Amino acid sequence: MKKEFRIKKNEEFQYTFKCGKSFANRQLVIYYVEKKGQNHFRIGLSVGKKIGNAVTRNRIKRYLRQAFQELEEKIAYPHDIVIIARHPAKQMEYHEIKKSLTHLLYKERLLKNQ
């Protein structure tokens, strides 16, 4: 995932939490806010320490980044999207995480051609 597609600063995360909309399923929570003047989407990932050790948390983040990379052309922009992993994501494989993420993006109309 390219650096310009990532949200890194705490202020940007907090703005998305405060001003954005949220939607969730059992595995993931998504917060998103529309950003005018941006020519691409950006994502921020959050996996808490309660989910597991660093290896587990990094694996979940890696799966989410890969899923976004594969869905890159389908995602409507300009949006800032923050994904928070819930406990059931710990036992999920890549294709299950991608399916869950696609479901959330589809439900919130963040995928193109809907």
Side-chain angles (χ1 to χ4, degrees):
M1 184 71 45
K2 296 177 185 174
K3 289 217 185 257
E4 62 263 17
F5 289 163
R6 293 188 188 172
I7 299 173
K8 285 290 198 181
K9 295 182 180 173
N10 186 39
E11 303 90 52
E12 295 169 340
F13 274 94
Q14 295 306 319
Y15 176 78
T16 306
F17 293 142
K18 269 186 161 176
C19 302
K21 296 178 183 175
S22 68
F23 195 72
N25 59 16
R26 293 193 67 219
Q27 300 86 13
L28 302 170
V29 180
I30 185 172
Y31 286 87
Y32 64 97
V33 65
E34 190 170 347
K35 298 283 281 213
K36 300 287 186 193
Q38 210 170 258
N39 59 354
H40 53 79
F41 67 92
R42 295 188 315 161
I43 63 165
L45 303 174
S46 176
V47 183
K49 285 189 176 182
K50 289 183 181 180
I51 301 290
N53 62 11
V55 174
T56 304
R57 295 192 310 267
N58 289 336
R59 179 177 49 83
I60 293 169
K61 287 190 277 188
R62 199 169 51 245
Y63 286 168
L64 286 168
R65 278 194 297 270
Q66 181 63 33
F68 267 105
Q69 208 166 13
E70 290 183 9
L71 295 170
E72 187 174 337
E73 297 84 34
K74 297 180 183 179
I75 295 175
Y77 50 84
H79 285 92
D80 278 359
I81 303 168
V82 175
I83 305 290
I84 301 173
R86 288 183 167 175
H87 209 291
K90 181 179 181 178
Q91 286 87 24
M92 295 172 69
E93 295 297 322
Y94 168 70
H95 65 279
E96 296 169 317
I97 287 182
K98 183 179 177 188
K99 184 177 177 182
S100 178
L101 178 64
T102 305
H103 173 258
L104 280 176
L105 294 173
Y106 176 78
K107 283 288 192 185
E108 286 302 300
R109 301 184 191 282
L110 292 175
L111 293 178
K112 293 178 185 175
N113 301 327
Q114 294 186 32

